[in-house]
Amino acid sequence: QVQLVESGGGLVQAGGSLRLACAASGPTFRRYILGWFRQAPEKGREFVAAITWSGGWTSYADSKEGRFTISVNNAKDTVYMQMHSLKPEDTALYYCAATLSSSSQHYRGYNFWGRGTQVTVSS
């Protein structure tokens, strides 16, 4: 069992920055890869990035173009998603999730999900 709680979302203007956080807990949470996904209304769930708890491996969606950075703070049991140069098309509900699968960009392989944090980017 892995419990995930997202925070850090909000309303920002285009070009602004946000840092999302995902606090993890549970007896086996460090076995899992942590991923960030986002979903806009009427859109599919889109992979953003993933990371191992060691921080030694990361994966990013091709479309992020260096604007997003995923990181981990093991002392706080928290994974972060730093987002810069935000665009209106980044507006979505952002979820963190945990998977044991090597196919970390496939949302169907994720076992546990947070409830999401809303990111809204105004134009």
Side-chain angles (χ1 to χ4, degrees), residues 6 36 43 53 84 91 117:
E6 304 97 332
W36 284 98
K43 305 295 183 182
W53 284 102
H84 296 290
T91 295
T117 185

Side-chain angles (χ1 to χ4, degrees):
Q1 189 77 250
V2 177
Q3 294 80 46
L4 303 169
V5 180
E6 304 97 332
S7 62
L11 174 64
V12 297
Q13 295 185 47
S17 300
L18 284 173
R19 188 178 71 164
L20 307 182
C22 176
S25 61
T28 62
F29 76 90
R30 291 189 182 276
R31 299 179 184 177
Y32 291 78
I33 293 169
L34 267 291
W36 284 98
F37 290 80
R38 67 186 187 184
Q39 188 164 16
E42 307 298 327
K43 305 295 183 182
R45 192 161 296 183
E46 178 187 11
F47 174 77
V48 180
I51 194 169
T52 55
W53 284 102
S54 69
W57 174 90
T58 59
S59 178
Y60 291 91
D62 292 340
S63 61
K64 297 301 168 285
E65 300 178 348
R67 296 185 298 115
F68 292 8
T69 302
I70 193 169
S71 63
V72 61
N73 186 326
N74 279 289
K76 296 184 177 181
D77 296 336
T78 300
V79 173
Y80 299 96
M81 175 60 65
Q82 182 69 54
M83 306 186 295
H84 296 290
S85 301
L86 285 163
K87 305 173 182 179
E89 49 263 47
D90 295 318
T91 295
L93 187 64
Y94 283 71
Y95 299 91
C96 67
T99 183
L100 295 174
S101 175
S102 60
S103 300
S104 60
Q105 297 193 17
H106 299 163
Y107 75 88
R108 295 186 186 274
Y110 280 75
N111 306 91
F112 303 102
W113 294 82
R115 293 188 178 187
T117 185
Q118 179 67 39
V119 172
T120 303
V121 184
S122 62
S123 60

